[in-house]
Amino acid sequence: MTPGATVADGKTCFAVRSPHASALTLCLFDGQVEQRMPMARDGAWWRVEIVGDYTGSRYAYRADGAWSPGNGQWFDPAKLLVDPYTTELDQPFRYDASLSEYGVDTASFVPKSIITGPLPEVALHAPCFQHGGLIYEVNVRGFTMLHPAVPQQQRGTVAALAHPAVIAHLKRLNVSAIELMPIAAWIDERHLPPLRLANAWGYNPVAPMALDPRLCPGGVAELRDTVAALRAEGIGTILDIVLNHSGESDVHGPVLCLRGLDDAAYAKAPDGTLINDTGCGNTLDFGNPAVRALALDTLRHFVRHCGVDGFRFDLATIMARSPGFDAKAQIFNDIAADPWLTDRVLIAEPWDIGPGGYQLGNFPSNWLEWNDRYRDDVRRFWRGDAGIGVLATRMAGSSDIFGKASRSVNFLAAHDGFTLADTLAYEQRHNWANGEDNRDGHGENFSWNNGIEGETDNRDVLAKRAAYARAMLATLFCSTGSILLTAGDEFGRSQRGNNNAYAQDNAITWINWETRDLALEDYVCDLSHWRKSKLSQFSAFPEDGTWSDLNGRELHTEGWERPQTPGFRWANDTYGFTVDRTGPSAGPI
């Protein structure tokens, strides 16, 4: 049975899974007029078939049955439910308290699915990415909202990423692949609207295949065309995808999709309460075959119909839980065996907040992993808290974690936390704009302000910050493994000390292209050109090189272990690099 809405042979068929509902209704919409059609049970599924091609029409579901939230039954025929398999919606999600109130109809504001008809397949090519390359993390909306070369109506969209000015910037940086922060349609967390804030990151999706109309108003075709345009320039596309939870949140959250159809999609403790290993109120249960099927169908859809090169899995530990983490979880076997997915770039964020959630180094051998220990140890070294030994280990691919063939994705900063510039300008988080009395966000960032907290015109402080930024960026570009750069860090982007800017859809997260540090940008472009010329060297650390101190003498145990040792050199016949904390300076030899 094909889930969702399909058009073939002059008929439009609908299928949705709801094992415990007593009745399912298809709701077709023509403007505000709703036409309801009963569906027939077929095992755990419900089906209805209509004569005619309904491509372009809008639809949703209503489910009837018991209302007993304590027993995992949330059936309320007043709630309009989004198809979990939808790929396009007619409008964004909007939070409203009535989404959680039994008996209150929600059809007036819940998005309706758009019937797309058969989607064209994209020819299956090898991924446009080589391990060791530069991954460029992009918040789609914030990246181009202020870009002067992008037409006003196109700013903040997926299509803007294919604009010639954007592609020129990516190529100048020698970007191997862009990593798009979530573009699936999301709903604001319920505490945000009263604060007059909105989710700016997208890590709160409802239906995993549905593209958010704000970011991708052209739907699947817009994403497909953008991926193709980037590929034509030698740039891959990786989607940051959220399969660990949904925007239906905790027991006080909305009834929008899976909760109203099949609440068994969410992991439960023995007493029936929701497991919250994500910190977002619920956790999708990957021990449930239906959840795995939805996840796999989502991945296939984005490869088969959009041509994406890979995925970064948010809180990826969840995918291998049921309820504990299993390094041999079924989902890994399913992905490896799937012809559409087996060769894709697969990147884990290898942690969640649940018991045993930190699993860095424990994902399959063909997966890459975000390495937060790299970020922290590099910052600690340059701040003066760590010696050269730990830095050398991280730069050489973190063999203590991954072995000889590094699977590390090294980064200095990411969307979550301080930007690189703010790491050098703020010792404390400054998240007052988030409306949580500065309690949210990481408390320890291994940051330092170089003498003055925040913005300053003090030349000595600015010079120190500039030197450390160059040294840290050179450290990154000389490191074994793939590397990740968050958009804007190449030219000194600041979030004014906000290290949890998920709710700042405004100038805090929108990149200002007019105030770029062009000298820093030129420096990063030179580093990326050097690295690209030797890219094959960075998937595994060479065994034929020599470590020496800054005077060229061989480093022995005493030098490695002495906290005062300021740096080192490493070189073989192909390339080399140097690190000197006293400069501070670092870079290729």
Side-chain angles (χ1 to χ4, degrees), residues 233-386:
E233 300 292 342
I235 301 168
T237 303
I238 297 169
L239 298 186
D240 189 341
I241 196 162
V242 182
L243 298 174
N244 56 76
H245 79 285
S246 92
E248 290 182 303
S249 187
D250 57 19
V251 293
H252 304 293
V255 179
L256 267 174
C257 188
L258 288 172
R259 172 166 286 154
L261 293 166
D262 181 18
D263 189 61
Y266 298 117
K268 311 290 198 309
D271 65 358
T273 57
L274 285 168
I275 291 174
N276 188 20
D277 289 340
T278 63
C280 302
N282 64 55
T283 301
L284 287 169
D285 183 5
F286 272 78
N288 183 336
V291 170
R292 293 199 303 274
L294 176 59
L296 289 164
D297 286 338
T298 298
L299 302 179
R300 288 190 202 100
H301 164 69
F302 284 121
V303 176
R304 186 177 182 180
H305 299 129
C306 304
V308 304
D309 298 279
F311 304 92
R312 180 263 189 188
F313 297 93
D314 182 63
L315 301 182
T317 299
I318 297 295
M319 300 170 65
R321 280 190 179 277
S322 186
F325 177 83
D326 181 2
K328 297 181 180 179
Q330 184 61 43
I331 190 67
F332 298 142
N333 297 329
D334 293 342
I335 291 173
D338 191 283
W340 287 99
L341 305 177
T342 185
D343 69 341
R344 296 299 94 179
V345 180
L346 305 170
I347 305 173
E349 182 185 39
W351 52 77
D352 63 31
I353 69 166
Y358 190 76
Q359 294 293 334
L360 178 64
N362 293 327
F363 280 75
S365 60
N366 63 323
W367 285 52
L368 305 180
E369 301 184 33
W370 270 32
N371 187 352
D372 63 330
R373 287 179 61 183
Y374 178 95
R375 175 199 62 200
D376 293 349
D377 287 341
V378 170
R379 291 184 181 187
R380 289 174 59 240
F381 172 82
W382 287 108
R383 192 171 74 166
D385 301 341

Side-chain angles (χ1 to χ4, degrees), residues 372-373 402 423 500 529:
D372 63 330
R373 287 179 61 183
F402 300 107
T423 299
N500 190 33
H529 179 76

Side-chain angles (χ1 to χ4, degrees), residues 375-385 412-413 417-431 442-454 465 468 472 496-499:
R375 175 199 62 200
D376 293 349
D377 287 341
V378 170
R379 291 184 181 187
R380 289 174 59 240
F381 172 82
W382 287 108
R383 192 171 74 166
D385 301 341
L412 302 170
F418 279 146
T419 67
L420 175 59
D422 287 353
T423 299
L424 303 171
Y426 295 89
E427 289 188 359
Q428 306 296 328
R429 65 193 176 201
H430 294 258
N431 297 353
H442 295 295
E444 175 55 84
N445 299 277
F446 302 108
S447 61
W448 66 107
N449 62 25
N450 287 283
I452 295 175
E453 185 77 355
R465 292 176 181 177
Y468 275 116
M472 293 173 73
R496 307 172 194 169
N498 193 320
N499 75 349

Side-chain angles (χ1 to χ4, degrees), residues 449-450 452 455-467:
N449 62 25
N450 287 283
I452 295 175
E455 296 181 8
T456 180
D457 57 3
N458 184 293
R459 293 185 179 182
D460 291 339
V461 171
L462 293 175
K464 289 179 183 178
R465 292 176 181 177

Side-chain angles (χ1 to χ4, degrees), residues 7 38 77 304 520:
V7 178
R304 186 177 182 180
L520 180 60

